[in-house]
Amino acid sequence: MNEETRENLIDMSVNLGGLKMQNPVAVASGTFGYGREYQDFIDISRIGAVIVKGTTLEERCGNPAPRIYETPAGMLNAIGLENPGIDVFLNVYLPSLIEDRVTVIANIAGNTVDEYALLSRKIDKHPGIAGIELNISCPNVKQGGMQFGTDPDLVKQVVEAVKSETSLPVIPKLSPNVTDIVSIARAARDGGADALSMINTLMGMAVDIDRRKPVLGNIFGGLSGPAIKPVALRMIYQVYKEVDLPILGGGGILNTRDALEFIMAGASAVSIGTGNFVNPVVAEEIALGLEKYVTEQGLTGINELVGAAVL
Amino acid sequence: MNEETRENLIDMSVNLGGLKMQNPVAVASGTFGYGREYQDFIDISRIGAVIVKGTTLEERCGNPAPRIYETPAGMLNAIGLENPGIDVFLNVYLPSLIEDRVTVIANIAGNTVDEYALLSRKIDKHPGIAGIELNISCPNVKQGGMQFGTDPDLVKQVVEAVKSETSLPVIPKLSPNVTDIVSIARAARDGGADALSMINTLMGMAVDIDRRKPVLGNIFGGLSGPAIKPVALRMIYQVYKEVDLPILGGGGILNTRDALEFIMAGASAVSIGTGNFVNPVVAEEIALGLEKYVTEQGLTGINELVGAAVL
Amino acid sequence: MPLAEKGTVISNHQTGRDLWEMEFLAPGIAAESKPGQFVNVRLGDYSDPLLRRPLSLYDVEPDAGRITLLYKIVGRGTQLLSRYGSGQLIDVMGPLGLGFDLVQNRRVILIGGGVGIAPLLFLTRELVARHNEVIVLHGTGSSDELCSQGRFSKLGVEYKVATMDGSSGYKGLLTDMMKEALEPLPTDYIYTCGPEPMMSAVAAYASQHGISGQLSLEEHMACGVGACLGCARKLKETDTAYVKICKDGPVFPLDAVQLSTGGS
Amino acid sequence: MPLAEKGTVISNHQTGRDLWEMEFLAPGIAAESKPGQFVNVRLGDYSDPLLRRPLSLYDVEPDAGRITLLYKIVGRGTQLLSRYGSGQLIDVMGPLGLGFDLVQNRRVILIGGGVGIAPLLFLTRELVARHNEVIVLHGTGSSDELCSQGRFSKLGVEYKVATMDGSSGYKGLLTDMMKEALEPLPTDYIYTCGPEPMMSAVAAYASQHGISGQLSLEEHMACGVGACLGCARKLKETDTAYVKICKDGPVFPLDAVQLSTGGS
Ligand SMILES: Cc1cc2nc3c(=O)[nH]c(=O)nc-3n(C[C@H](O)[C@H](O)[C@H](O)COP(=O)(O)OP(=O)(O)OC[C@H]3O[C@@H](n4cnc5c(N)ncnc54)[C@H](O)[C@@H]3O)c2cc1C
Ligand SMILES: Cc1cc2nc3c(=O)[nH]c(=O)nc-3n(C[C@H](O)[C@H](O)[C@H](O)COP(=O)(O)OP(=O)(O)OC[C@H]3O[C@@H](n4cnc5c(N)ncnc54)[C@H](O)[C@@H]3O)c2cc1C
Ligand SMILES: Cc1cc2nc3c(=O)[nH]c(=O)nc-3n(C[C@H](O)[C@H](O)[C@H](O)COP(=O)(O)O)c2cc1C
Ligand SMILES: Cc1cc2nc3c(=O)[nH]c(=O)nc-3n(C[C@H](O)[C@H](O)[C@H](O)COP(=O)(O)O)c2cc1C
Ligand code: FES
Ligand code: FES
């Protein structure tokens, strides 16, 4: 069989707990706006899935400036979930994404379990969304956010509540700021999660030594980018071994080799966050790069590589 | 008063819970051997304190190779506490350090609370050691190590056991791989800790995509270097606000500006680990750099800056 | 429509104290550019520094496909930028942001502080083309930071300088010179870019004299396109919403912004 | 005594496929250097790449204070190394590790695979000075990786090459050529550096013929001085202790090491 024929038989699609992606590369929540911001640079219909900015019930205006800061091989952000609220998202931003035939994953954050449920109900009623990522790990908001993601009982509760409101695939996004990621992942599974997204940012900070103050208006922020890649890989590896759910893995991915590390460590699909800022066409480049690798290695699909490095 | 006179009045010494250092810059355990390895490059008597390689009761041969790997702005290590055992350390390696008038901090790791106690007793009996750092956070050994550092009750127990065996300053070294660093710090204080050392490495891994295996022989390793600086600063800031103990802060320090960030976030002294590999004279350079800064800012001593950025 | 392009460096050389000029070919971006817009530049091939750096369009010649940047070395990114040699490729996104409104047939004053002069050269070119009488005021610490004189002179506009140490032109604050320089003739419009305390003084003067105008703001950026919501700023303290400098700006009306007046 | 020195780059240029040579002045290090030792080089000014890179002393002229490296571009560090220009400073620690034992008045064979030829040039120079008959065998994939011929010829030693594709010298494995090249004359001592499967074949041949010798090993390094215990390796599988390549090596007796024979 020559390469060309084989390429046609190659399956780059991914089924992430019922959520179908044409290729394994998603762009991560909060780093790609509502898709339109990068439209001039990349054909967004070529991306496996666009996970839109974290959305809350009501509009939020976000944290005081400065909100971002560069760190060695990474960045801190403390956006504070600025967003126009779920209704505006569904009615104003979503339609154009649907028109562009983008696989859209919503990302929701609530202050209470009930809010997560309510958000999910609204999304469930609205056609055009392929899945719901639960942001239970945002380190940048006072209420809600991270404390949900660090307590197994709360994780289970939130997932259960959401599952009872929607038939869409539900993907909790786990916080890495925990002692035992496996117990959190198990709680999510016990609550009925269809897949897991990991990892969100590590909580960090920077000091402005000239002003003798924290750099960020919010003091603390979420660390993302290549700096956190080793932590992300470790947690995905641990969870892949212990919990039988597909994983959407990310944290510091900048290129195809990085993405392959995640897939071999157990991720069924990958998400690119900070990498979009560095290279706005990175998601498409990685999707193509993965396809090339699968072809060159004589594999039938990307799925064959998932967990390949797990001992 | 002109600068020269003022310089004489400047106090760069540090009292870390009873442990006196001539300047606030220590070299971190496991990155400086027993001092002699870097002797050709740096006058080790100029370093605030040398924290020697983690020592156990019995000799340990360490983890299988490969043990280290470079990551973006950081490195992974899984040395596995290779060391000749406490008796060889005290009898063979310590004497030359004492001769060189180095402030030596021992770093000990046990498999059980009793082992920590026994190690401390041996050190207490042996003159020439200024303090004991308790490694309750090593991610690279199966038994002992990190699980001590992630459970507040165990932390308290270990510290109490050690305190009952020695009158030397006892400095538990906290693991960053926890959900709530403040509760761990409190437990250490409740056990009688004299100061806190933070942070040890974040647990991470890397995948060799060509061999489709984890890179490290031990699979997981500790992430150190500039990549982890934001996490270290955040944890030190949190603990400084909540727990009234002096902090020996480190994680990714490469230069004087980095050290100032740590001090302003609440560290009374700093430790340099990976930075020694990058620049073997970095500890001396930073000690001088801090003195210059204190002088230029017209301060009387480094202590004035501790926690200066904490809101 | 903005795009990502690998520009080819034509030249890159120092023109003043810590000040450098880089010329590169990027026809796609050049064709779309307007004064006041900026490019977001990726520096180096490694993960540190990681983020792109926003830099104004100092000059643009669309026909030649040529873009010039004027930059001050302040940190790692600008340091790396200064190491690019001719023929090397440079990874640029642009043009980004909303540029200046271009008035016509007016007497306009452009006030640049330090490297804040950068966006005002391309602006001058376009304003001259629109039959405005353009007066450029440039303030710096010392004469070795005045590297733009030749370029402005070529455009045939009046270019006055103030230096803090008096080594060239008016000795003292640009904003003190401003008052002398602008009166008694009426000013129709003011464009300014520079340190906020300077722009604050300019805005106060403008408001006092009922002159409208625009300024250009800076904020740390990641995406440069409005996707990350990182470059947020409240224009006035009483605002509830944050604008995004990269997308809603960097240019804003002079009277829309509450500026830092100095101190810390 | 090793030291840290800022060397001044004299030249840095490509000499073969992915192969570069850099000359720099570092009199302190040059004065102390012995064949088989290495330097640990810091590349770039930023945090990525972070760690130093170990590179063998390809050639050293102590009187001129000059050190030459031969390096193959394989990743980020070596890529950055290739960008250094003459006059630039380069941050080097060395000489590190234990070098080769230098025999006298013998017939010795030096066997280098690929860029493993690097430590063998300086060694040749010193062996020639010690009245040895030196035969150098160098194997590569193709002739465009044979960049050292001139330097060895200048030292007046026999230099034979094998290339996998036959584009120069013997066609095939260096170790196959070795058998032909060495016999019938007796060999007193063997030095080798290169891929482990190659060195493994050399060691097997040596053991079969009762020839002693030394080889040079590689391991990822951080400190380069024995402080981090990172570059650990069990010489034989049955060993309980790990040697540190940077301090106990990189040179070891041929028969002390169990080498990887290939595969993965
Ligand atoms: C719209 C816009 C246009 C600009 N135009 C110019 C110009 O034409 N010429 C020029 O010299 N400078 C200009 N600047 C400022 C320039 O972006 C910074 O000087 C530069 O990013 C500093 O990078 P660094 O790595 O050298 O400094 P570092 O301090 O090492 O940078 C660290 C981080 O802080 C950010 N940062 C530091 N200073 C600034 C700043 N003043 N504004 C925004 N981000 C900053 C960097 O982008 C980076 O993310 C402009 C800024 C903006 C927002
Ligand atoms: C004692 C010694 C002497 C050496 N002498 C030479 C020489 O003269 N010429 C030459 O071309 N190469 C030599 N090498 C190999 C050289 O060190 C590596 O090729 C180089 O470190 C690769 O760096 P990189 O950033 O380009 O590659 P990357 O793969 O990006 O490096 C990533 C990390 O892996 C390490 N690494 C990668 N390959 C090796 C390797 N083979 N050995 C050790 N560490 C590695 C790097 O040091 C770095 O920490 C020597 C190695 C050792 C241990
Ligand atoms: C500027 C910024 C904003 C983010 N906003 C969100 C968000 O709204 N919801 C969320 O779940 N994650 C958010 N994240 C986290 C990313 O989706 C991603 O999980 C994280 O950045 C790690 O991946 P990376 O290293 O590829 O960026 C944000 C990250 C960044 C950098
Ligand atoms: C190679 C290596 C070995 C280490 N060994 C020890 C050890 O034996 N005991 C210990 O408490 N910490 C050990 N550490 C952790 C360091 O002391 C330090 O806490 C950590 O590396 C973070 O600081 P850094 O980023 O400055 O390196 C080791 C770190 C490295 C890189
Ligand atoms: S830099 Fe991302 S929104 Fe402005
Ligand atoms: S590299 Fe540190 S011990 Fe060898």
Side-chain angles (χ1 to χ4, degrees):
Chain A
M1 197 166 18
N2 69 25
E3 285 229 336
E4 267 173 57
T5 355
R6 208 169 53 206
E7 207 164 330
N8 295 329
L9 300 178
I10 281 177
D11 185 8
M12 292 302 290
S13 75
V14 165
N15 183 328
L16 204 67
L19 190 157
K20 295 207 175 58
M21 290 165 58
Q22 56 173 333
N23 69 55
V25 186
V27 286
S29 180
T31 67
F32 214 75
Y34 293 103
R36 54 166 79 172
E37 292 81 357
Y38 275 112
Q39 236 159 4
D40 295 330
F41 298 92
I42 183 169
D43 178 354
I44 54 175
S45 72
R46 301 270 193 102
I47 301 176
V50 171
I51 312 177
V52 294
K53 175 68 193 167
T55 305
T56 52
L57 218 43
E58 308 294 337
E59 176 183 2
R60 286 181 60 105
C61 61
N63 283 333
R67 291 181 174 181
I68 54 171
Y69 190 67
E70 190 185 59
T71 66
M75 64 176 284
L76 289 164
N77 90 79
I79 308 300
L81 280 183
E82 173 174 341
N83 81 94
I86 186 73
D87 295 327
V88 174
F89 161 59
L90 292 174
N91 299 319
V92 179
Y93 294 99
L94 185 58
S96 80
L97 284 166
I98 295 176
E99 209 165 286
D100 289 344
R101 303 175 168 278
V102 176
T103 300
V104 179
I105 301 178
N107 175 289
I108 60 171
N111 292 317
T112 60
V113 173
D114 286 345
E115 280 191 21
Y116 280 99
L118 186 50
L119 283 158
S120 309
R121 197 180 320 152
K122 282 178 183 260
I123 289 170
D124 190 64
K125 287 219 188 88
H126 208 99
I129 291 185
I132 304 178
E133 187 179 58
L134 303 183
N135 184 357
I136 49 170
S137 45
C138 182
N140 297 327
V141 292
K142 291 266 146 53
Q143 288 179 301
M146 205 167 80
Q147 66 262 45
F148 280 106
T150 56
D151 177 338
D153 292 336
L154 276 176
V155 169
K156 183 156 173 276
Q157 273 179 45
V158 170
V159 178
E160 272 172 351
V162 167
K163 281 295 288 181
S164 70
E165 297 291 346
T166 181
S167 55
L168 290 172
V170 171
I171 311 171
K173 183 165 179 183
L174 306 190
S175 167
N177 301 290
V178 297
T179 308
D180 181 4
I181 192 72
V182 172
S183 69
I184 305 285
R186 282 209 187 96
R189 182 204 51 200
D190 294 347
D194 299 290
L196 299 170
S197 171
M198 47 196 300
I199 61 172
N200 210 320
T201 52
L202 283 163
M203 201 174 146
M205 78 173 288
V207 173
D208 180 335
I209 61 173
D210 300 318
R211 291 168 55 246
R212 295 192 192 161
K213 276 193 185 157
V215 167
L216 297 175
N218 188 52
I219 305 177
F220 303 137
L223 179 65
S224 64
I228 69 169
K229 194 177 72 158
V231 176
L233 286 167
R234 183 261 296 180
M235 291 188 163
I236 289 164
Y237 187 102
Q238 287 178 312
V239 168
Y240 178 83
K241 278 189 82 141
E242 303 290 336
V243 182
D244 190 23
L245 280 181
I247 297 169
L248 173 61
I253 298 178
L254 289 189
N255 54 45
T256 303
R257 292 183 68 89
D258 293 337
L260 284 167
E261 280 198 73
F262 278 79
I263 292 168
M264 292 181 186
S268 297
V270 294
S271 68
I272 322 285
T274 307
N276 297 305
F277 309 152
V278 178
N279 172 8
V281 297
V282 69
E284 195 176 341
E285 280 178 14
I286 293 177
L288 291 171
L290 291 176
E291 185 165 344
K292 183 157 173 275
Y293 180 85
V294 166
T295 309
E296 283 170 0
Q297 300 284 314
L299 308 173
T300 60
I302 191 74
N303 296 319
E304 278 189 64
L305 291 171
V306 177
V310 177
L311 302 179
Chain B
M1 194 164 23
N2 69 26
E3 287 229 336
E4 265 174 58
T5 356
R6 208 168 54 205
E7 206 164 333
N8 295 328
L9 299 178
I10 281 178
D11 186 8
M12 292 302 290
S13 76
V14 164
N15 183 328
L16 203 69
L19 190 158
K20 295 206 175 60
M21 290 164 59
Q22 56 173 333
N23 69 54
V25 186
V27 287
S29 180
T31 66
F32 214 76
Y34 293 102
R36 55 165 78 170
E37 290 82 357
Y38 275 112
Q39 234 156 5
D40 295 330
F41 298 92
I42 183 170
D43 178 353
I44 55 175
S45 72
R46 302 269 193 102
I47 301 175
V50 171
I51 312 176
V52 294
K53 175 69 194 164
T55 305
T56 51
L57 217 43
E58 309 294 338
E59 176 183 1
R60 287 181 59 105
C61 61
N63 282 333
R67 291 181 175 181
I68 54 172
Y69 191 66
E70 190 184 58
T71 66
M75 65 176 282
L76 289 164
N77 89 78
I79 308 300
L81 281 183
E82 173 174 342
N83 82 92
I86 185 73
D87 294 328
V88 174
F89 160 60
L90 291 174
N91 300 318
V92 180
Y93 293 99
L94 185 58
S96 79
L97 284 166
I98 295 175
E99 209 165 287
D100 288 344
R101 303 174 169 281
V102 176
T103 301
V104 179
I105 300 178
N107 175 290
I108 60 171
N111 292 316
T112 60
V113 172
D114 286 346
E115 280 191 21
Y116 280 99
L118 187 50
L119 283 158
S120 308
R121 196 180 320 151
K122 283 178 182 259
I123 290 170
D124 190 65
K125 287 217 187 90
H126 208 100
I129 291 186
I132 304 177
E133 187 179 58
L134 303 182
N135 183 356
I136 50 170
S137 45
C138 182
N140 298 327
V141 293
K142 292 265 147 53
Q143 288 180 301
M146 205 168 78
Q147 66 262 47
F148 281 106
T150 56
D151 177 339
D153 291 336
L154 277 175
V155 169
K156 181 154 175 273
Q157 272 178 47
V158 170
V159 178
E160 271 172 352
V162 166
K163 281 295 289 183
S164 71
E165 297 291 346
T166 181
S167 55
L168 290 171
V170 171
I171 311 171
K173 183 165 179 182
L174 308 190
S175 167
N177 302 290
V178 296
T179 308
D180 181 4
I181 192 72
V182 172
S183 70
I184 304 285
R186 282 209 187 96
R189 182 204 51 200
D190 294 347
D194 298 290
L196 299 170
S197 171
M198 46 194 305
I199 60 173
N200 210 320
T201 52
L202 283 162
M203 201 172 145
M205 78 173 288
V207 173
D208 180 335
I209 60 173
D210 301 317
R211 290 169 55 246
R212 297 193 191 160
K213 276 193 185 158
V215 167
L216 298 175
N218 188 51
I219 304 178
F220 302 137
L223 180 64
S224 64
I228 71 169
K229 194 177 72 159
V231 176
L233 287 167
R234 183 261 295 183
M235 291 189 163
I236 288 164
Y237 187 101
Q238 288 177 311
V239 168
Y240 178 83
K241 278 189 83 140
E242 303 290 336
V243 182
D244 190 24
L245 279 181
I247 297 169
L248 173 61
I253 297 178
L254 289 189
N255 54 45
T256 302
R257 294 185 66 90
D258 293 337
L260 284 168
E261 280 197 74
F262 277 79
I263 292 168
M264 292 182 187
S268 297
V270 295
S271 69
I272 322 286
T274 307
N276 297 304
F277 309 151
V278 178
N279 173 9
V281 297
V282 70
E284 195 175 341
E285 280 178 14
I286 293 177
L288 291 171
L290 290 176
E291 185 166 343
K292 184 157 173 274
Y293 179 86
V294 166
T295 309
E296 283 170 0
Q297 299 284 315
L299 308 173
T300 59
I302 191 75
N303 296 320
E304 279 188 66
L305 291 171
V306 177
V310 177
L311 302 179
Chain C
M1 215 172 79
L3 61 155
E5 207 169 0
K6 298 260 189 268
T8 307
V9 175
I10 305 170
S11 70
N12 191 17
H13 59 274
Q14 192 163 1
T15 60
R17 175 143 47 103
D18 294 333
L19 287 169
W20 288 61
E21 261 184 40
M22 176 188 273
E23 281 190 337
F24 60 92
L25 290 178
I29 296 173
E32 303 278 337
S33 295
K34 288 177 185 53
Q37 292 187 297
F38 65 96
V39 288
N40 215 5
V41 187
R42 169 101 174 100
L43 295 162
D45 300 324
Y46 308 98
S47 295
D48 183 44
L50 180 68
L51 298 177
R52 290 170 180 265
R53 300 297 191 254
L55 293 164
S56 301
L57 297 164
Y58 182 43
D59 209 357
V60 179
E61 292 149 276
D63 297 341
R66 185 157 50 200
I67 292 173
T68 310
L69 306 176
L70 173 69
Y71 60 96
K72 182 170 180 172
I73 298 189
V74 299
R76 304 174 306 161
T78 45
Q79 203 168 65
L80 263 181
L81 188 60
S82 72
R83 298 201 191 139
Y84 278 72
S86 77
Q88 263 186 276
L89 297 181
I90 181 151
D91 181 351
V92 187
M93 282 169 77
L96 303 175
L98 303 174
F100 292 108
D101 289 342
L102 299 174
V103 297
Q104 300 204 354
N105 306 308
R106 303 288 186 85
R107 180 171 187 267
V108 300
I109 316 288
L110 279 53
I111 304 172
V115 74
I117 198 71
L120 304 185
L121 179 70
F122 183 26
L123 176 64
T124 299
R125 185 186 292 283
E126 296 293 317
L127 288 173
V128 167
R130 279 169 184 71
H131 315 294
N132 293 286
E133 182 195 346
V134 176
I135 299 160
V136 179
L137 310 183
H138 187 190
T140 65
S142 186
S143 60
D144 57 2
E145 294 159 67
L146 290 164
C147 57
S148 308
Q149 185 133 23
R151 288 186 175 260
F152 280 101
S153 303
K154 257 196 227 153
L155 297 178
V157 299
E158 202 177 325
Y159 172 82
K160 296 189 168 183
V161 302
T163 53
M164 288 305 295
D165 65 1
S167 52
S168 188
Y170 179 92
K171 177 172 174 161
L173 281 177
L174 174 61
T175 43
D176 292 334
M177 171 176 77
M178 175 178 75
K179 291 158 203 171
E180 298 176 19
L182 300 196
E183 286 151 27
L185 284 180
T187 299
D188 298 322
Y189 206 83
I190 292 181
Y191 299 93
T192 184
C193 180
E196 293 208 10
M198 182 212 89
M199 294 199 294
S200 173
V202 171
Y205 177 87
S207 131
Q208 213 180 314
H209 294 76
I211 310 168
S212 39
Q214 292 184 312
L215 51 73
S216 181
L217 291 179
E218 294 186 356
E219 228 12 280
H220 285 209
M221 292 185 180
C223 69
V225 300
C228 74
L229 310 183
C231 62
R233 175 176 176 137
K234 279 192 183 169
L235 289 188
K236 306 229 157 158
E237 227 172 82
T238 51
D239 287 357
T240 49
Y242 293 88
V243 299
K244 306 306 161 307
I245 301 299
C246 71
K247 209 187 164 190
D248 305 318
V251 171
F252 295 93
L254 259 186
D255 59 3
V257 189
Q258 204 167 320
L259 293 152
S260 144
T261 53
S264 80
Chain D
M1 215 172 80
L3 61 155
E5 207 168 0
K6 298 259 189 267
T8 307
V9 175
I10 304 171
S11 70
N12 192 17
H13 58 273
Q14 193 165 0
T15 60
R17 172 141 50 102
D18 295 333
L19 287 170
W20 288 62
E21 261 185 40
M22 175 188 273
E23 281 190 338
F24 60 92
L25 290 179
I29 296 173
E32 303 278 337
S33 295
K34 288 179 185 53
Q37 291 186 299
F38 66 95
V39 287
N40 214 4
V41 186
R42 169 100 174 103
L43 295 161
D45 299 324
Y46 308 97
S47 295
D48 183 44
L50 180 68
L51 298 176
R52 290 170 179 266
R53 301 294 192 254
L55 293 166
S56 301
L57 298 164
Y58 181 45
D59 209 357
V60 178
E61 292 148 278
D63 298 340
R66 183 156 51 200
I67 293 174
T68 310
L69 306 176
L70 173 70
Y71 60 97
K72 184 170 180 171
I73 297 188
V74 299
R76 304 175 306 164
T78 45
Q79 203 169 64
L80 262 181
L81 188 60
S82 72
R83 298 201 191 139
Y84 278 71
S86 77
Q88 263 185 275
L89 296 181
I90 182 152
D91 181 353
V92 188
M93 283 170 76
L96 303 175
L98 303 173
F100 291 108
D101 289 342
L102 299 175
V103 299
Q104 300 205 354
N105 306 307
R106 302 289 186 84
R107 181 172 186 266
V108 299
I109 315 289
L110 277 54
I111 304 173
V115 74
I117 197 72
L120 304 185
L121 179 71
F122 184 26
L123 175 63
T124 299
R125 185 187 292 283
E126 295 294 316
L127 288 173
V128 167
R130 280 168 184 73
H131 316 292
N132 294 284
E133 182 195 346
V134 177
I135 300 159
V136 179
L137 310 183
H138 187 191
T140 64
S142 186
S143 60
D144 57 2
E145 295 159 67
L146 290 164
C147 57
S148 309
Q149 185 134 23
R151 288 185 174 259
F152 280 101
S153 302
K154 258 196 228 156
L155 297 177
V157 298
E158 201 177 327
Y159 172 81
K160 294 189 169 182
V161 302
T163 53
M164 287 306 295
D165 65 2
S167 52
S168 187
Y170 179 91
K171 176 173 174 159
L173 281 176
L174 174 63
T175 42
D176 290 335
M177 171 177 77
M178 173 179 76
K179 290 157 202 170
E180 297 176 19
L182 301 194
E183 288 152 26
L185 282 181
T187 299
D188 298 322
Y189 206 83
I190 292 180
Y191 298 93
T192 184
C193 180
E196 293 208 10
M198 181 212 89
M199 294 200 293
S200 173
V202 171
Y205 177 89
S207 129
Q208 211 181 318
H209 294 76
I211 310 168
S212 38
Q214 292 184 313
L215 52 73
S216 181
L217 291 179
E218 294 185 358
E219 232 4 285
H220 286 208
M221 292 184 181
C223 69
V225 300
C228 74
L229 311 182
C231 62
R233 174 176 176 135
K234 280 192 182 167
L235 290 187
K236 306 229 157 159
E237 226 172 83
T238 50
D239 287 357
T240 50
Y242 293 87
V243 298
K244 307 306 162 306
I245 301 299
C246 72
K247 208 186 163 189
D248 304 320
V251 171
F252 294 93
L254 260 186
D255 59 2
V257 189
Q258 204 167 321
L259 293 152
S260 143
T261 53
S264 79

